[in-house]
Amino acid sequence: EAYEVPEGTTYIGEFAFAYASVQMVTLPSSLREIGAHAFLSSALSLLDMPEEGVHRIGTGAFSNSLLESVRLPRTLRRIPDSCFAGAKLLHVMIPEGIEEIGAHAFEETCLETVHLPQSLRALEDTALCGCASLSEIEVDEGNPWLTQMSGLILDAQQVLIRLCQFTLSIFLAVTVAGKAGGLFKNLTAI
């Protein structure tokens, strides 16, 4: 089942498609905001979102949906708390312009790799909790707020961003391999 949101629509309300059986949704270029839990636990597996236009997505908008892949718009600045939590998400395109990723944003998704853009200033440490398939997080080399060192991610104050079990497994792998020498030398807090 497919649905095309009519051009001219600027807002999709809270819970608008929650628990719906619609599998494919096409969003119009006029859309500016997607409300909280708009696609909660829906059968949505394919989302056609314009590259520009959407400025705000509400908490848990796509949580527990069947969505497998998404390209977020360049006009979005924040991925909200629990946005994709529990979704079947395999791939996400996080564009330049995203400044913050909220708590539990991608929790328990099927992501394998994540690229964090140069514009990203804040990454909540629970953003990627429970991502059992996650094997790589890449921080853009030009990012002045986040750095990557031996698979670990540090904020601008050189504080380790924990990222749940992902960081723990990287830490254990680095330590067991005997390559931890100097790794924690510049950290101010863990």
Side-chain angles (χ1 to χ4, degrees):
E1 185 178 342
Y3 181 75
E4 187 170 332
V5 177
E7 190 61 48
T9 302
T10 58
Y11 175 70
I12 294 177
E14 294 182 7
F15 298 96
F17 292 91
Y19 306 101
S21 61
V22 64
Q23 297 172 333
M24 180 182 167
V25 173
T26 302
L27 302 177
S29 60
S30 60
L31 190 66
R32 297 297 175 256
E33 183 175 350
I34 298 171
H37 310 291
F39 294 90
L40 171 72
S41 296
S42 69
L44 180 69
S45 60
L46 184 60
L47 179 67
D48 184 10
M49 189 181 304
E51 287 187 32
E52 294 185 351
V54 176
H55 295 278
R56 184 176 183 285
I57 296 177
T59 299
F62 301 97
S63 60
N64 296 311
S65 70
L66 300 179
L67 189 61
E68 293 181 1
S69 181
V70 67
R71 182 193 68 222
L72 295 169
R74 293 188 303 247
T75 47
L76 189 65
R77 296 295 169 250
R78 180 176 194 278
I79 300 172
D81 296 351
S82 303
C83 188
F84 298 98
K88 302 298 179 202
L89 203 60
L90 296 166
H91 306 284
V92 62
M93 172 56 188
I94 302 173
E96 197 58 50
I98 295 288
E99 297 175 355
E100 181 182 352
I101 298 177
H104 311 286
F106 297 102
E107 181 177 51
E108 296 186 12
T109 61
C110 300
L111 291 173
E112 295 177 356
T113 63
V114 173
H115 174 79
L116 303 176
Q118 182 175 338
S119 58
L120 189 67
R121 296 172 181 241
L123 174 67
E124 290 290 332
D125 59 3
T126 58
L128 295 159
C129 277
C131 295
S133 300
L134 189 61
S135 61
E136 181 182 4
I137 300 174
E138 177 188 357
V139 178
D140 190 285
E141 289 180 11
N143 187 312
W145 298 283
L146 301 173
T147 56
Q148 195 166 7
M149 182 174 26
S150 298
L152 301 173
I153 299 175
L154 311 171
D155 67 14
Q157 289 76 40
Q158 296 297 296
V159 175
L160 178 67
I161 298 175
R162 293 187 318 256
L163 297 177
C164 300
Q165 76 272 21
F166 180 78
T167 301
L168 178 60
S169 62
I170 293 294
F171 171 74
L172 290 175
V174 168
T175 303
V176 169
K179 298 179 182 176
L183 179 63
F184 300 105
K185 174 174 72 174
N186 296 323
L187 292 180
T188 57
I190 293 182

